[in-house]
C-alpha cells in the first residue's frame, strides 16, 4: 500500500513513510488499514483508512483514495466497502475537489472550518511557560488529555506544545501545512483548554515561528475558540466532512486520531 501511494498519489512521501503513516500510533481493535483493489495479484487501487475507538466512539477516518486510470470504473467497489462499515462514523478531513460532491450525495456533512490567519510574532510572553519535551508534558497532563497525548506523541505529522499559565496546562497540537507547495503555515488541530489558549496563544505563536520556522498560524473557531482581534478572518478553509451513524453533533468530530496527525505531506 505504501509503495502504491508513493508512486501514484504523493511522491513527496517515500513508501516507508506512507506505510508508517497508515499504521496509527494509537491502539485500535481494527485489524486492517483500509481496502485494496487488485488485478492479477497487482495492486491497482487503494482506499486507506485510520481506525480509532475513543470515549465510546468508533471512527473510520478515510485517508487516501487512489485508483489507476484504467481501473477507475472499479473505484466504487472500494467506496462501497468503506461505506459498508455501518458500526462506525466516517470522517473525510482532507477530501479532494472531485470527492466533495460525491461525499455530499452520500450524506456526508461539512464541518465548520471558519477561523482566522495569525502572523506569528516573536513577542515577549510573561507568565506563560512552554513545554515541548515528552517527560515534561507527561508530568503536567492528566486523565484523557494524557492518554490522548501518549497516543499521538510519536505521530509523524503532529507537533505538541503545552502552555502553562498559573499552574494550568493547555495542550496544543498543530501540524505544518503547505499552500501552493510552500510550507509556511501551522494549522492548529487540537486545543485542550480554549479559555486558557486565549492567554497562552501569543507564546504558542512565538514558539511556532522560532522553533519551527512557520510565520503564520491557521486557526479554526471550532477547534480553538473565537479568533484573536489582530487576526485576519477566514470565512472558510479547506473542506472537512463527516458521516455520522449515530447522530453525533459535528462539534464532537476531532482532528486527532486522523491522517492530519499521522501523514506528514
Amino acid at each position: 500500500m505504501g509503495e502504491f501511494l508513493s508512486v501514484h498519489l504523493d511522491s513527496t512521501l517515500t513508501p516507508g513513510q506512507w506505510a508508517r503513516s497508515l499504521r496509527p500510533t494509537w491502539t485500535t481493535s481494527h485489524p486492517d488499514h483500509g481496502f485494496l483493489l487488485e488485478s492479477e495479484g497487482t495492486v491497482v487501487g487503494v482506499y486507506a483508512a485510520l481506525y480509532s475507538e475513543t470515549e465510546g466512539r468508533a471512527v473510520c477516518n478515510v485517508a487516501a483514495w487512489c485508483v489507476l486510470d484504467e481501473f477507475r470504473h472499479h473505484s466504487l467497489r472500494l467506496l462501497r466497502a468503506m461505506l459498508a462499515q455501518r458500526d462506525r462514523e466516517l470522517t473525510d478531513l482532507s477530501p479532494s475537489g472531485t470527492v466533495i460532491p460525491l461525499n455530499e450525495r452520500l450524506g456526508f456533512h461539512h464541518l465548520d472550518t471558519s477561523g482566522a490567519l495569525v502572523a506569528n510574532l516573536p513577542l515577549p510572553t510573561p507568565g506563560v511557560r512552554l513545554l515541548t519535551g515528552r517527560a515534561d508534558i507527561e508530568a503536567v497532563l492528566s486523565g484523557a488529555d494524557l492518554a490522548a497525548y501518549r497516543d499521538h506523541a510519536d505521530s509523524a505529522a503532529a507537533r505538541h506544545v503545552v502552555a502553562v499559565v498559573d499552574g494550568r496546562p493547555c495542550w496544543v497540537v498543530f501540524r505544518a501545512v503547505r499552500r501552493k507547495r510552500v510550507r509556511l503555515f501551522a494549522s492548529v488541530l487540537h486545543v485542550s483548554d480554549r479559555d486558557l489558549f486565549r492567554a497562552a496563544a501569543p507564546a504558542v505563536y512565538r514558539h511556532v515561528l522560532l522553533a519551527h520556522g512557520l510565520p503564520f498560524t491557521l486557526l479554526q473557531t471550532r477547534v480553538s475558540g473565537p479568533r484573536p482581534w489582530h487576526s485576519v478572518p477566514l470565512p472558510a478553509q479547506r473542506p472537512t466532512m463527516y458521516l455520522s451513524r449515530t447522530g453525533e453533533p459535528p462539534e464532537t468530530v476531532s482532528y486527532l486520531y486522523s491522517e492530519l496527525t499521522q501523514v506528514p505531506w
Side-chain angles (χ1 to χ4, degrees), residues 12 15 47 84 105 131 156 159 200-201 212 227:
T12 63
Y47 205 170
R105 290 196 295 272
L131 307 175
R159 300 293 177 263
H212 297 273
R227 72 175 185 88

Side-chain angles (χ1 to χ4, degrees), residues 40-57:
E40 299 180 351
T42 300
V43 176
V44 297
V46 165
Y47 205 170
L50 295 165
Y51 296 89
S52 62
E53 303 86 26
T54 58
E55 298 181 353
R57 298 176 64 218

Side-chain angles (χ1 to χ4, degrees), residues 45-115:
V46 165
Y47 205 170
L50 295 165
Y51 296 89
S52 62
E53 303 86 26
T54 58
E55 298 181 353
R57 298 176 64 218
V59 177
C60 169
N61 167 233
V62 297
W65 189 11
C66 180
V67 181
L68 298 184
D69 287 341
E70 57 267 39
F71 295 93
R72 193 62 57 84
H73 56 289
H74 290 295
S75 297
L76 290 181
R77 296 176 64 184
L78 290 172
L79 178 60
R80 284 195 293 267
M82 195 67 75
L83 293 175
Q85 303 175 104
R86 305 296 300 181
D87 61 328
R88 290 180 179 266
E89 296 176 51
L90 271 70
T91 61
D92 193 346
L93 304 180
S94 54
S96 65
T98 57
V99 171
I100 292 170
L102 175 59
N103 280 352
E104 290 172 341
R105 290 196 295 272
L106 293 170
F108 279 77
H109 298 283
H110 286 268
L111 290 168
D112 179 12
T113 60
S114 61

Side-chain angles (χ1 to χ4, degrees), residues 26-49:
W26 55 85
T27 301
T28 174
S29 64
H30 205 277
D32 59 56
H33 311 292
F35 299 92
L36 297 175
L37 188 65
E38 293 185 337
S39 176
E40 299 180 351
T42 300
V43 176
V44 297
V46 165
Y47 205 170

Side-chain angles (χ1 to χ4, degrees), residues 121-241:
L121 301 175
L123 301 175
T125 53
V128 181
R129 181 166 58 102
L130 294 185
L131 307 175
T132 58
R134 181 163 184 166
D136 293 332
I137 290 175
E138 290 186 347
V140 298
L141 295 183
S142 60
D145 287 341
L146 177 58
Y149 168 74
R150 286 173 170 166
D151 283 345
H152 293 84
D154 296 321
S155 298
R159 300 293 177 263
H160 307 272
V161 60
V162 171
V164 181
V165 181
D166 295 330
R168 297 166 54 204
C170 176
W171 171 40
V172 180
V173 184
F174 64 93
R175 64 169 288 144
V177 297
R178 290 188 180 96
R179 291 294 183 267
K180 296 183 179 180
R181 298 187 178 183
V182 179
R183 191 173 291 227
L184 295 175
F185 302 88
S187 178
V188 174
L189 305 177
H190 177 76
V191 170
S192 66
D193 188 324
R194 295 182 186 182
D195 292 334
L196 198 59
F197 182 70
R198 293 183 189 179
V204 174
Y205 303 146
R206 183 175 189 271
H207 167 77
V208 170
L209 174 66
L210 298 181
H212 297 273
L214 301 171
F216 302 102
T217 293
L218 293 166
L219 302 172
Q220 289 188 20
T221 302
R222 192 180 69 85
V223 174
S224 56
R227 72 175 185 88
W229 65 268
H230 58 281
S231 62
V232 177
L234 299 175
Q237 299 179 50
R238 289 190 170 183
T240 60
M241 308 180 78

